[in-house]
Amino acid sequence: MATAGKVIKCKAAVCWAPKRPLSIEEIEVAPPKAHEVRIKIVATGVCRSDDHVINGAVAEIKFPVILGHEGTGIVESVGEGVTDLKPGDKVIPLFIPQCGKCRCCENPDSNLCYKNDIGKYNGVLLDNTTRFTCKGKPIHNFICTSTFTEYTVVPDIAVAKIDKDAPLDKVCLIGCAFGTGYGSAVNVAKVKPGSSCVVFGLGGVGLSVIIGCKVAGASKIIAVDINSDKFAKAKEFGATECINPKDYDRPIHEVLAEKTDGGVDYAFEVIGNTGIMTSALLSSHFGCGKAVIVGVASSGATMTFDPLLLLTGRVLTGALYGGWKTKDDVPKLVSDYMNKKFDFDGLITHRLPLEKINEAFELLRRGESIRTVLSL
Ligand code: COD
Ligand code: ZN
Ligand code: ZN
């Protein structure tokens, strides 16, 4: 490519400081260094976790930063030592890398590669520098991805090469919402055929949990949200019943226990609320239920519960990004989508150009969108 080895000037949405709208700027993107990849972003979803940074809820984040972690793109150029990716490849950037060498990568039951930047939020690539500048200032990266820009640079261990025929304006959702929710059901909970499930929170991630429960063959899928406007979509994706806790004057786990012969087999918390995490645990059957935490609670929040709840046989678990080994599993998820094992197109409720990114966040905050996909 004519741009390889050169600095690229392009458009990006920069988050200069918390509690301010993102601003569309011209930025410079330096060429990739060793074991890095420069990607032309094609599409990116707008996720609740980006919004948490914008509204100031993530104290550790360093500004300015380019957010976005649910995208697709095409490799523009690669740095020295990159062997598995080449210009022209279709890719999904991975917010959890897979180095293949650390203790978590070597353990088949973990996907939390040590090279991830979640929670630490150093905002730099693996050599502790960034490839973005704007108005003479360095701009931080976001969790190995930064997709709210026409070009990004990420480590090669944080890039999955996908099917050359994949529709990039749709499979971007595999990079966060769909991958997280679907994996939480099929991979973390390992939902069994004929089982009963409850899903608390019907955003893009919660609806994807429902898709996973359905693919796994659950016979009862109860969807719970305080916003009843979400119920139509939940039913479309496979919920067999929808409940609004506001319609009841007693704890929701009691309502659920009555409907499911003493409690569900699998309960999913997909909101990030510690009170609801406890509700999920209480909703699961005393002797054989499993509660799965999918949502991230605000920093410092804690859960308290009677240990007897676990002693009788319940399991409490959780995982980031549906437990998938990212570099290995993301290409398989794209193939499964192409082979119509599942369909998540209905999660995309809005499409906007990058310039209207603040409007996309407003739609999410008002609960009007499930996912807005931005085109670049
Ligand atoms: N009871 C019932 N429903 C509720 C309640 C409540 N008390 N409070 C909110 N809700 C509903 C809302 O009405 C909404 O429909 C839904 O819960 C939440 O949906 P969204 O659209 O805000 O969020 P999602 O689905 O896009 O994501 C939610 C997560 C909490 C899963 C997400 O923010 C998260 O924590 N992701 C997992 C962690 C992770 O992998 N992070 C890295 C990249 S995201
Ligand atoms: Zn996300
Ligand atoms: Zn690793």
Side-chain angles (χ1 to χ4, degrees), residues 181-191 211-213 215-216 268 322 324 333:
Y182 179 76
S184 298
V186 304
N187 215 19
V188 183
K190 298 194 167 59
V191 170
I211 297 174
C213 294
V215 169
F268 299 88
W324 299 114
L333 287 169

Side-chain angles (χ1 to χ4, degrees), residues 75 84-86 88-92 94 159-164 327 330-332 334:
V75 173
D84 61 336
L85 296 157
K86 56 180 190 314
D89 284 348
K90 284 187 175 176
V91 292
I92 293 185
L94 308 167
V159 183
K161 179 179 169 174
I162 59 168
D163 190 316
K164 63 177 184 11
K327 204 159 162 129
V330 164
K332 294 180 197 162
V334 171

